[in-house]
Amino acid sequence: MTHTALAPQLVDTLNAPHGGVLKELYVPAAERAALKQRSATLPGWDLSIRQLCDLELLLNGAFSPLEGFLTRRDYDRVVQELRLADGTLWPMPITLDVSEAFAASIQVGAEIALRDSQGVPLAVLDVQDIYFPDKLREAREVFGTTDTTHPGVADLLERSHPVYVGGTLRGIQPPQHYDFAELRQSPRELRDWFARNGWETIVAFQTRNPMHRAHRELTLRAAEQVGARLLIQPVVGRTKPGDVDHYTRVRCYHALLKHYPRNEATLSLLPLAMRMGGPREAVWHAIIRKNYGASHFIVGRDHAGPGNDRDGKPFYDPFAAQELLARHQQEIGIRIVPFPAMVYAANRDTYVPSNEVRPDDVVKDISGTELRRRLQTGEDIPEWFTFPEVVDILRERYPAGAKKGVALLFTGLSGSGKSTLAEAVIAKLLERSSRPITLLDGDEVRKHLSKGLGFSREDRAANVTRIGWVASEIVKHGGIAICAPIAPYADTRAEIRRLVEQHGIFVEIYVSTPIDVCESRDRKGLYAQARAGKIPQFTGVSDPYEVPANPELSFDTSTADAGALANQILAHLRNRGWLVD
């Protein structure tokens, strides 16, 4: 299949041979240059990764029938009833969240230029609504929980802006992708490819993980069951933190594709920002695949589920997604193909559906955790589990013996002993290891990386987030980052955790030394100046410190020697296998 960034003429709606009416939101080619030029004079909003993914799928029609970001009327009914205000089935809020300051600078009837991270204008939003959502209600209704262990809930409650802006879109150009361009078809392009190649019955398969032999068997059987060709359409937008990166996954899909019968399967990428929303997300995925031209959709056990909550219980019943989709498949216009997990019966040397396992079968499996362990140790990965070509790609990405990066965040009041404890940990690490270690001390970072920032909440958050970003880059490359800012705000610390855990290990260490001890150590007299009103917004005196709720470690340096505490920290890392001398 070939990919073109934008056809010469795009219309607002078209009735394609596959999938029904498709709404594309790009302006006609003749108007594009003028709209782009006009966008330079408008208030602009730089899109986050999630917003960028949403915008791309709004503009190319994958989110049909939506014509933009939801207004309050549509949002309220989607949250409560899985429907737009006009009654159309739609399960997931597609919203543009912005800061209060930006919201205050615009009004209903205004136009906003929506831009990528480089400032390139992609679309203009005609503002129809500006509103404050009830995010706790949204979390309860959409995700069924307010537990921030759920990545969708964490993103909603901890990282999204407080104001939503709704309105219709006029597209200028799609986001630019430099990777796998030939696999990034729009819904119209994929429908056209199906039509040219005579594909009429198409079953789509959703995945965010590398595919192995069990997935191949499942998809082959599902396609055979309904007499369909197979569309493998993995998500390459934002998935669950900690997932294998999409570059590696796509290489694995390429390798797997040759193990399907010729002309019976194809690969296309979906730039979706997943919410991990379980049953609602399954309905959303089915609507999207209908828009891409599929007639059937495979739904497995716990589709789009994020795993377990903080108490170790699954967020969703394993078959809830199949049940919800079964109720709505006729309305969507796509048939679901519910399929159990495939398991390997060693005594028969074959894969069988889990509900067809015989009492005498010897079932074998390798979990994701076990696979990662074998990659780390170099232990054999059997051919019954996956194909040698896939193993080669995964071993290249995760070479045996590679050390996982670690970030330690020491947080606490000024004078609590964060920097002293951090230095003790560094010294003890260097006693026995040659691993690269970087200290990101709060004062030093302010001199260099954050020069010019003040001490408002926004500036403090920006300073700490910069530390988190640098730490995540260090961790990505297998290093150890030692961070010792005050980091007074829980949401900013959560953002650092999110940034780091995409690549490695994050350990939050709360240095809980009482404030009277901190003041007694105050060599620079900062507390005295703060209490005299000479230093405004001083943490612990005139600005709050939000105590960590669930740090991995907590120490009071007024009751123990820094060297002894450093040994406890290193023991914690070793006990979990994160540090090997």
Side-chain angles (χ1 to χ4, degrees):
M1 285 185 275
T2 58
H3 171 77
T4 53
L6 208 60
Q9 285 289 335
L10 289 176
V11 294
D12 292 332
T13 62
L14 63 92
N15 199 345
H18 296 80
V21 174
L22 180 71
K23 290 190 175 182
E24 293 177 316
L25 306 180
Y26 292 103
V27 298
E31 301 175 18
R32 221 165 290 151
L35 185 60
K36 183 176 182 179
Q37 185 175 9
R38 174 171 170 69
S39 71
T41 68
L42 302 176
W45 180 257
D46 291 343
L47 300 163
S48 67
I49 293 175
R50 191 255 305 160
Q51 293 170 343
L52 196 65
C53 291
D54 287 352
L55 180 73
E56 180 170 2
L57 297 179
L58 282 164
L59 295 180
N60 71 18
F63 284 178
S64 292
L66 301 191
E67 297 181 1
F69 292 101
L70 299 187
T71 61
R72 185 64 183 254
R73 289 181 66 245
D74 284 323
Y75 165 81
D76 282 342
R77 195 164 180 198
V78 167
V79 167
Q80 190 68 33
E81 303 176 46
L82 288 79
R83 294 190 180 276
L84 301 173
D86 66 4
T88 302
L89 180 69
W90 189 266
M92 196 63 62
I94 306 300
T95 55
L96 180 67
D97 58 293
V98 302
S99 66
E100 289 190 65
F102 183 79
S105 71
I106 60 174
Q107 58 187 358
V108 172
E111 298 172 302
I112 302 173
L114 301 181
R115 303 169 179 145
D116 67 14
S117 60
Q118 302 302 312
V120 176
L122 304 176
V124 169
L125 178 73
D126 296 309
V127 178
Q128 296 175 330
D129 209 351
I130 303 170
Y131 57 101
F132 283 87
D134 182 342
K135 291 186 181 179
L136 283 173
R137 172 175 171 265
E138 181 179 339
R140 283 192 298 268
E141 296 293 338
V142 175
F143 298 110
T145 181
T146 58
D147 182 353
T148 53
T149 307
H150 190 300
V153 173
D155 190 62
L156 173 66
L157 298 184
E158 297 177 348
R159 291 186 286 276
S160 65
H161 295 288
V163 186
Y164 288 174
V165 178
T168 56
L169 287 165
R170 288 175 285 154
I172 298 170
Q173 59 188 333
Q176 179 67 59
H177 298 287
Y178 298 101
D179 61 314
F180 308 114
E182 73 283 359
L183 298 176
R184 291 181 176 272
Q185 294 82 14
S186 69
R188 180 180 56 80
E189 289 166 343
L190 198 53
R191 289 178 177 196
D192 288 348
W193 187 90
F194 292 149
R196 289 196 307 273
N197 288 273
W199 285 32
E200 295 183 355
T201 307
I202 300 129
V203 60
F205 179 64
Q206 152 91 23
T207 181
R208 43 170 261 269
N209 293 308
M211 292 174 63
H212 304 295
R213 285 184 181 268
H215 303 100
R216 174 183 175 274
E217 292 298 320
L218 184 155
T219 52
L220 278 174
R221 289 181 183 228
E224 181 181 4
Q225 178 178 305
V226 297
R229 263 65 174 264
L230 175 67
L231 168 63
I232 300 172
Q233 195 175 40
V235 171
V236 295
R238 193 188 62 179
T239 59
K240 185 180 177 182
D243 282 351
V244 175
D245 64 275
H246 81 267
Y247 302 100
T248 302
R249 289 190 287 114
V250 174
R251 292 173 61 206
C252 290
Y253 304 139
H254 263 303
L256 185 73
L257 202 60
K258 69 180 184 181
H259 293 281
Y260 286 90
R262 186 176 178 81
N263 298 324
E264 293 297 318
T266 194
L267 174 66
S268 185
L269 309 183
L270 181 67
L272 178 72
M274 291 184 67
R275 273 64 163 181
M276 305 304 299
R280 278 190 183 236
E281 182 129 353
V283 173
W284 189 37
H285 289 174
I287 293 170
I288 293 167
R289 273 29 182 249
K290 169 69 182 303
N291 286 330
Y292 271 94
S295 57
H296 294 71
F297 182 52
I298 299 170
V299 185
R301 191 176 188 274
D302 195 26
H303 184 102
N308 296 334
D309 62 19
R310 65 175 69 253
D311 297 320
K313 299 177 181 178
F315 279 105
Y316 306 113
D317 181 273
F319 302 106
Q322 294 181 358
E323 293 167 0
L324 185 63
L325 256 174
R327 294 202 297 270
H328 292 294
Q329 61 181 336
Q330 186 170 354
E331 184 176 2
I332 296 170
I334 194 170
R335 303 294 295 177
I336 71 162
V337 185
F339 230 88
M342 300 294 294
V343 297
Y344 180 68
N347 54 306
R348 291 193 264 168
D349 189 26
T350 190
Y351 276 88
V352 296
S354 57
N355 59 1
E356 295 180 14
V357 173
R358 301 189 309 224
D360 62 333
D361 280 333
V362 179
V363 174
K364 291 188 176 182
D365 187 25
I366 294 179
S367 66
T369 301
E370 173 64 10
L371 175 61
R372 289 189 291 273
R373 187 192 69 78
R374 293 186 182 217
L375 290 170
Q376 171 71 21
T377 62
E379 190 175 334
D380 179 60
I381 298 172
E383 286 198 33
W384 61 258
F385 175 73
T386 195
F387 296 96
E389 308 96 301
V390 173
V391 173
D392 289 345
I393 293 166
L394 291 175
R395 287 202 188 282
E396 182 183 355
R397 175 63 179 84
Y398 302 101
K403 296 180 175 68
K404 185 168 282 192
V406 179
L408 307 182
L409 175 67
F410 294 86
T411 174
L413 295 172
S414 177
S416 61
K418 300 183 301 300
S419 296
T420 301
L421 189 51
E423 288 173 0
V425 168
I426 291 172
K428 289 185 176 294
L429 282 170
L430 292 175
E431 274 186 355
R432 61 195 78 192
S433 171
S434 60
R435 291 185 67 178
I437 301 171
T438 302
L439 173 63
L440 298 169
D441 183 74
D443 290 339
E444 289 300 312
V445 168
R446 277 197 172 269
K447 285 182 184 177
H448 306 290
L449 186 64
S450 295
K451 187 175 182 179
L453 288 181
F455 290 89
S456 67
R457 184 181 180 105
E458 293 74 17
D459 282 0
R460 289 180 184 212
N463 176 56
V464 176
T465 302
R466 290 177 188 181
I467 291 173
W469 181 82
V470 173
S472 73
E473 290 297 303
I474 293 166
V475 168
K476 181 194 297 184
H477 298 289
I480 298 176
I482 309 293
C483 312
I486 293 174
Y489 306 126
D491 57 351
T492 311
R493 296 193 298 265
E495 176 66 8
I496 294 182
R497 182 182 293 275
R498 184 188 70 82
L499 289 169
V500 170
E501 287 185 342
Q502 295 178 72
H503 308 296
I505 304 302
F506 178 80
V507 180
E508 184 177 43
I509 303 169
Y510 173 39
V511 185
S512 60
T513 309
I515 191 168
D516 59 328
V517 177
C518 296
E519 289 197 56
S520 71
R521 296 173 174 172
D522 187 18
R523 289 173 294 181
K524 298 179 183 178
L526 298 178
Y527 279 98
Q529 293 180 62
R531 293 197 183 282
K534 296 179 181 179
I535 301 178
Q537 296 176 301
F538 190 85
T539 302
V541 176
S542 53
D543 210 56
Y545 177 84
E546 298 172 359
V547 173
N550 296 291
E552 278 76 12
L553 296 168
S554 180
F555 300 111
D556 179 351
T557 64
S558 64
T559 60
D561 172 72
L565 296 178
N567 285 332
Q568 292 183 45
I569 293 169
L570 266 60
H572 175 85
L573 299 178
R574 287 193 203 94
N575 290 340
R576 283 154 181 77
W578 299 337
L579 185 65
V580 180
D581 294 336

